[in-house]
């Protein structure tokens, strides 16, 4: 079941849903919350959440030329009430997600597949295995990922893995590695809400983790069995598939002592 989007307010804001907002939304929500009697007590808390997704700077010199300089850098400038009597001018700018090091468990579900692949491509062109395990875990928390490495002339073979994945809704990043190409397939996972279980206060003997709000990242990743052969299938050297070309070693394919053209026609599917 898809999680319904609820109307946000400063009181319901957290370090995940704050990524759904833009600069103007921050000023709007803040203004709406200024009427709350307890607003002053939570100003620091609200700012900390906002700062997890936005660059926030106090405009200490309130002059037109200073404000214009902030706006030229992409900031939105406006007033935020931080105490009972005065409003302070702030410059706010949404933090971009450009590099894989910008990815977190909080924002991974708030970027498109295209933006994700662009970030991976900026990582020195090293491919999926060049990413740290922690970054891979963050990405796989929000996206289904699979990869294959094939000779250039095999990657787009009709009926092959590339064609099947694209038909299944995956977007693809191709990274050239000498005579070979690594294809990284990515598709956003549907966001689902796990059912909440109600317990009586006396049910203390049940060994159940009741804190199910923020432990999505502890869920085991579903094993990718897309290309796993059936157990009854015997290995046949004359029926090599494109998955047989997947390389798992670190050596540069150009340094290998064979050419991609040496693959015999007998290995064709």
């Amino acid at each position: 079941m898809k999680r319904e989007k609820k109307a946000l307010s400063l009181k319901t804001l957290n370090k995940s849903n704050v990524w759904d907002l833009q600069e103007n939304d921050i000023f709007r929500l803040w203004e709406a919350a200024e009427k709350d009697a307890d607003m002053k007590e939570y100003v620091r808390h609200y700012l900390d959440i906002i700062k997890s997704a936005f660059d926030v700077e106090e405009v200490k010199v309130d002059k037109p030329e200073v404000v214009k300089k902030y706006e030229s850098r992409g900031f939105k400038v406006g007033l935020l009430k931080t105490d009972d009597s005065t409003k302070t001018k702030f410059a706010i700018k949404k933090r971009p997600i450009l590099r894989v090091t910008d990815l977190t468990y909080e924002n991974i579900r708030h970027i498109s597949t295209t933006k994700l692949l662009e970030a991976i491509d900026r990582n020195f062109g090293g491919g999926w295995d060049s990413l740290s395990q922690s970054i891979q875990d963050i990405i796989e928390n929000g996206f289904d990922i699979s990869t294959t490495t094939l000779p250039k002339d095999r990657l787009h073979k009709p009926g092959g893995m590339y064609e099947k994945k694209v038909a299944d809704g995956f977007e693809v990043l191709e990274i050239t590695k000498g005579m070979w190409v690594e294809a990284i397939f990515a598709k956003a996972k549907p966001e689902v809400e796990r059912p909440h279980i109600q317990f009586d206060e006396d049910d203390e003997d049940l060994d159940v983790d009741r804190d199910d709000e923020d432990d999505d990242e502890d869920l085991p990743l579903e094993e990718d069995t897309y290309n796993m052969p059936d157990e009854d299938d015997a290995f046949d050297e004359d029926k090599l598939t494109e998955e047989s070309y997947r390389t798992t070693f670190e050596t540069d394919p150009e340094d290998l002592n064979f050419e991609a053209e040496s693959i015999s026609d007998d290995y064709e599917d």
Side-chain angles (χ1 to χ4, degrees):
M1 179 178 63
K2 287 187 177 182
R3 188 176 301 174
E4 294 183 1
K5 297 286 184 181
K6 297 180 180 180
L8 292 180
S9 68
L10 282 187
K11 289 185 176 180
T12 61
L13 210 59
N14 58 52
K15 291 185 178 181
S16 177
N17 61 25
V18 69
W19 288 93
D20 286 326
L21 303 179
Q22 299 301 322
E23 295 86 355
N24 289 335
D25 298 321
I26 299 298
F27 290 110
R28 177 176 54 80
L29 294 182
W30 197 282
E31 184 178 4
E34 290 176 356
K35 305 167 188 171
D36 297 340
D38 59 352
M39 173 69 179
K40 181 180 177 180
E41 299 177 29
Y42 295 100
V43 164
R44 183 179 296 273
H45 170 69
Y46 296 148
L47 284 176
D48 286 343
I49 291 176
I50 293 169
K51 287 179 180 179
S52 69
F54 292 81
D55 291 323
V56 179
E57 298 183 19
E58 182 180 346
V59 182
K60 296 182 179 180
V61 180
D62 189 6
K63 293 183 177 181
E65 59 269 25
V66 174
V67 172
K68 189 174 181 180
K69 185 174 293 186
Y70 273 110
E71 291 174 342
S72 68
R73 293 165 52 197
F75 283 82
K76 297 288 185 181
V77 179
L79 296 172
L80 300 179
K81 188 176 182 180
T82 56
D83 57 39
D84 291 333
S85 58
T86 62
K87 288 189 176 185
T88 304
K89 186 162 286 189
F90 282 92
I92 299 178
K93 179 183 178 182
K94 183 77 169 284
R95 189 172 298 132
I97 303 173
L98 300 176
R99 301 173 296 274
V100 292
T101 51
D102 295 328
L103 299 172
T104 66
Y105 283 106
E106 287 77 20
N107 66 28
I108 190 60
R109 289 186 176 274
H110 298 273
I111 65 170
S112 66
T113 308
T114 300
K115 293 295 185 182
L116 170 68
L117 294 179
E118 288 176 356
I120 295 175
D121 193 29
R122 292 190 189 99
N123 193 49
F124 309 108
W128 180 253
D129 290 337
S130 71
L131 303 178
S132 67
Q133 186 61 53
S134 60
I135 294 298
Q136 290 184 7
D137 290 344
I138 290 173
I139 293 172
E140 291 182 316
N141 191 62
F143 293 84
D144 286 319
I145 300 290
S146 59
T147 69
T148 187
T149 302
L150 294 169
K152 290 181 179 180
D153 59 350
R154 297 274 301 174
L155 182 61
H156 295 274
K157 181 180 178 181
M161 180 180 182
Y162 189 104
E163 187 177 281
K164 292 175 182 177
K165 285 290 189 181
V166 171
D168 197 26
F170 283 79
E171 293 185 32
V172 192
L173 170 64
E174 297 181 28
I175 299 176
T176 301
K177 297 183 174 181
M179 297 297 297
W180 297 60
V181 176
E182 177 181 10
I184 302 175
F185 302 92
K187 182 171 73 169
K189 290 181 177 178
E191 190 171 2
V192 296
E193 183 176 10
R194 292 180 299 155
H196 291 244
I197 303 175
Q198 298 289 340
F199 294 95
D200 294 332
E201 292 296 328
D202 296 333
D203 294 341
E204 297 180 356
D205 294 333
L206 293 177
D207 184 16
V208 179
D209 180 9
R210 301 185 185 187
D211 182 16
D212 59 354
E213 289 295 327
D214 298 313
D215 57 358
D216 287 344
E217 58 196 67
D218 295 327
L219 293 174
L221 296 175
E222 183 178 348
E223 183 179 1
D224 183 6
T225 58
Y226 190 92
N227 294 299
M228 292 184 63
D230 296 334
E231 294 182 358
D232 296 333
D233 290 349
F235 177 74
D236 188 343
E237 293 184 351
D238 293 330
K239 295 183 179 180
L240 291 178
T241 65
E242 58 192 44
E243 285 77 14
S244 303
Y245 289 102
R246 182 73 170 93
T247 56
T248 58
F249 41 82
E250 300 295 333
T251 306
D252 189 332
E254 292 185 308
D255 295 333
L256 300 178
N257 294 324
F258 59 86
E259 298 290 335
E261 289 82 354
S262 64
I263 301 174
S264 170
D265 291 338
D266 294 335
Y267 289 119
E268 297 291 329
D269 291 342

